[in-house]
Amino acid sequence: DTGVSQDPRHKITKRGQNVTFRCDPISEHNRLYWYRQTLGQGPEFLTYFQNEAQLEKSRLLSDRFSAERPKGSFSTLEIQRTEQGDSAMYLCASSLATIYEQYFGPGTRLTVT
Amino acid sequence: GQSLEQPSEVTAVEGAIVQINCTYQTSGFYGLSWYQQHDGGAPTFLSYNALDGLEETGRFSSFLSRSDSYGYLLLQELQMKDSASYFCAVNPARDDKIIFGKGTRLHILP
C-alpha cells in the first residue's frame, strides 16, 4: 500500500492554457474523488467515480473541467482554458468500502498567471 | 442547500482539552466525519459518527446529536503536533459525496 499519489505536485501555467493532472489511488480502492481547496477553506467536492463510472459532478464545475477514470484505475482531471480563479490545490482521494473514510493524496498546486 | 458551521480558530494550551464544534444543515444526513490537516499536508481521516453518542479513539473523541444537527471533536492531552486544521464533513446520503466545512484552525500554546 503506497498511498494515493498525484502528479505533478506543482503546476504553473498561463491563463488560457490547458492543464491535466493525474491521480493514482490506493490499488484496491474502487472509489475516487477530486476536490479543490483554496487557502483557509475546506476541500470543495468536484466529482467522484465508482470504478470507471463518473457518478456525480459538482454543479459548481464549469464545462472547462473534465475528469476520466479509464479502466477504473488512475484518474485524470483536465482544465481547459485556465483562468486565474482556477488557482488552487487540487486534491484526489480514494476509498474502498465507505464514503466517509477517504485517503487523500498530497495534491497538485495549480498557479495560473 | 448544504451548510456546515465551525469556528474558524481555536486556541488551547498544551496538555489541556479542547472541543471543536460543528453544526450542519443539509438536505439529508447519514453521518458526520472529522479530518485533520497539517499545513502543507493532506487531510487525514480521524473519526466518524452515524449514530448519536460519543466515539473514542485514543486522545480523540467525536460526538453526534442528530436531533440537534450538531457534533464536536474533543481532543485531550493536547500536544504541539495537534496544531492543525480540523474539518467536519457530512455525507448527506449513504453512497453520496461528503461535504466539508471550512475548517477550524487549532493553535496550541506551550
Side-chain angles (χ1 to χ4, degrees):
Chain A
D1 178 359
T2 58
V4 179
S5 61
Q6 294 187 243
D7 184 68
R9 297 289 306 276
H10 303 272
K11 178 71 178 178
I12 301 173
T13 191
K14 293 186 188 300
R15 188 162 51 99
Q17 298 293 304
N18 299 345
V19 293
T20 299
F21 310 140
R22 177 180 170 122
C23 170
D24 287 89
I26 293 171
S27 59
E28 65 270 24
H29 284 188
N30 59 344
R31 294 174 176 175
L32 186 147
Y33 314 83
W34 285 100
Y35 296 89
R36 176 170 62 191
Q37 187 176 29
T38 53
L39 197 62
Q41 301 294 313
E44 175 190 18
F45 170 79
L46 295 179
T47 189
Y48 94 96
F49 294 84
Q50 181 157 312
N51 300 312
E52 63 273 13
Q54 187 173 19
L55 296 189
E56 187 170 349
K57 184 175 174 180
S58 169
R59 282 170 289 188
L60 300 174
L61 219 57
S62 76
D63 291 341
R64 297 184 298 107
F65 288 71
S66 63
E68 292 183 342
R69 193 183 182 197
K71 302 178 185 177
S73 55
F74 72 92
S75 175
T76 58
L77 177 70
E78 181 183 18
I79 309 174
Q80 297 183 325
R81 304 181 302 281
T82 51
E83 302 172 355
Q84 287 190 317
D86 297 331
S87 294
M89 177 72 84
Y90 289 83
L91 294 165
C92 173
S94 69
S95 69
L96 178 57
T98 67
I99 287 281
Y100 56 84
E101 185 172 355
Q102 298 182 13
Y103 293 80
F104 281 79
T108 295
R109 181 166 296 284
L110 173 67
T111 302
V112 181
T113 61
Chain B
Q2 327 269 28
S3 72
L4 290 87
E5 297 290 332
Q6 45 182 135
S8 58
E9 293 188 64
V10 171
T11 300
V13 177
E14 190 177 15
I17 299 172
V18 73
Q19 179 174 310
I20 299 173
N21 298 320
C22 174
T23 57
Y24 57 87
Q25 274 189 304
T26 53
S27 54
F29 180 84
Y30 196 78
L32 182 73
S33 49
W34 289 91
Y35 282 75
Q36 177 192 60
Q37 186 177 30
H38 287 100
D39 284 349
T44 56
F45 172 77
L46 293 176
S47 68
Y48 177 72
N49 297 70
L51 303 175
D52 285 358
L54 193 69
E55 293 282 341
E56 298 182 64
T57 310
R59 294 187 298 114
F60 293 3
S61 303
S62 58
F63 172 83
L64 175 65
S65 168
R66 295 172 69 110
S67 60
D68 295 322
S69 299
Y70 164 75
Y72 65 72
L73 180 69
L74 192 74
L75 295 82
Q76 302 181 74
E77 301 171 18
L78 285 172
Q79 302 175 10
M80 297 304 292
K81 68 179 182 179
D82 297 329
S83 295
S85 292
Y86 293 84
F87 299 92
C88 60
V90 166
N91 53 305
R94 185 176 184 274
D95 273 330
D96 200 352
K97 60 186 177 292
I98 60 174
I99 301 164
F100 284 83
K102 293 185 177 181
T104 297
R105 189 167 182 88
L106 175 60
H107 302 278
I108 299 177
L109 305 175

